[in-house]
Amino acid sequence: NLKGDLINRWGEQGSRIKQFQYPNGVVSDSKGNLFVSDTQNSRIQIFNRKSDSIGWLGTPPKDMNDSRRIFGLNMGITMDSNERVYVVDAFRHSIHAFDYEGNKIGEFGSKGEFEGQLNYPAGITYLGARKFAIADKWNDRVQVVRLGTPATAVEVGEQVWSWFPYALLLLLTLTVVYLTMRNRRARKSEESDSDEAGYWEPMG
């Protein structure tokens, strides 16, 4: 708790559920569930407030070439305001992004020392407004990056609604301009017709 008192503890070394192999990150969602980056088991384990296992993503691999492996070496983990999960992968020099149901929605980064590149990243935290601070370990720095993950339905709705009044105003303006121009053309046409009739009227 906030006083530093130990209120719960669980886990032991191993590859079974509720066992860990050198975990390197933990984050909680709005319900208090814990997402643990179980590093050398190449998986994310999820526990509720009572420390019961309620899910996981990934399977402990037999070796580095195991086709079931979804991470190279998953390290730090964080969650954004829409409860999407982000995991830094040290061996792939990248950031994996998953939705709350565990579906992968993106992977970002490449190995290097330039801006936006990573070299064995070890930690990540969410700063808000799609900005993340990355512990870029072997580049001896902390990078702040903005990740453009797919928008959720709520975000898309907010974006559409924010532009709706302007789109409506533009539509009304164009409609008024169109009607005004059409009326002017109609009046000019009537004036032209009357002039032509007077000119071609037979003279006595």
Side-chain angles (χ1 to χ4, degrees):
N1 60 22
L2 294 178
K3 297 180 180 179
D5 301 321
L6 179 65
I7 57 177
N8 198 358
R9 178 178 178 176
W10 71 92
E12 58 184 7
Q13 186 173 5
S15 58
R16 296 181 179 179
I17 298 302
K18 295 189 71 170
Q19 293 183 330
F20 306 97
Q21 290 281 12
Y22 301 98
N24 272 279
V26 61
V27 67
S28 63
D29 64 11
S30 59
K31 300 175 183 177
N33 299 318
L34 293 179
F35 291 65
V36 182
S37 181
D38 188 7
T39 300
Q40 292 196 12
N41 280 324
S42 192
R43 68 182 173 188
I44 305 300
Q45 293 199 64
I46 310 171
F47 304 91
N48 62 19
R49 292 174 179 269
K50 299 178 181 179
S51 73
D52 299 321
S53 174
I54 60 174
W56 61 88
L57 177 65
T59 302
K62 296 179 180 179
D63 52 47
M64 286 298 296
N65 298 318
D66 193 330
S67 60
R68 299 175 301 171
R69 194 180 192 99
I70 64 174
F71 300 109
L73 190 69
N74 48 298
M75 299 288 283
I77 183 172
T78 192
M79 186 176 288
D80 68 12
S81 55
N82 291 300
E83 300 200 320
R84 292 179 288 232
V85 178
Y86 300 80
V87 184
V88 288
D89 192 324
F91 286 175
R92 294 185 183 175
H93 314 282
S94 65
I95 304 163
H96 300 265
F98 303 91
D99 64 20
Y100 192 73
E101 286 71 37
N103 302 304
K104 191 169 184 177
I105 57 177
E107 185 171 355
F108 310 88
S110 61
K111 186 177 182 180
E113 59 184 19
F114 296 108
E115 292 183 1
Q117 293 185 316
L118 304 170
N119 197 356
Y120 297 96
I124 183 171
T125 190
Y126 182 58
L127 303 177
R130 295 194 177 186
K131 293 181 181 179
F132 297 80
I134 313 295
D136 192 7
K137 189 173 182 179
W138 281 22
N139 278 327
D140 194 27
R141 65 185 177 185
V142 173
Q143 282 200 79
V144 176
V145 300
R146 186 190 300 272
L147 300 182
T149 54
T152 63
V154 174
E155 290 173 325
V156 171
E158 290 173 349
Q159 291 168 8
V160 171
W161 180 250
S162 66
W163 283 100
F164 180 76
Y166 302 100
L168 182 60
L169 179 60
L170 177 60
L171 179 62
L172 291 175
T173 302
L174 292 174
T175 302
V176 170
V177 170
Y178 169 75
L179 292 175
T180 301
M181 293 179 66
R182 189 177 69 174
N183 290 337
R184 286 180 179 176
R185 284 197 299 267
R187 285 197 298 270
K188 286 183 178 181
S189 177
E190 291 175 356
E191 292 173 359
S192 176
D193 290 343
S194 62
D195 290 343
E196 291 175 354
Y199 182 81
W200 286 106
E201 183 179 352
M203 296 181 68

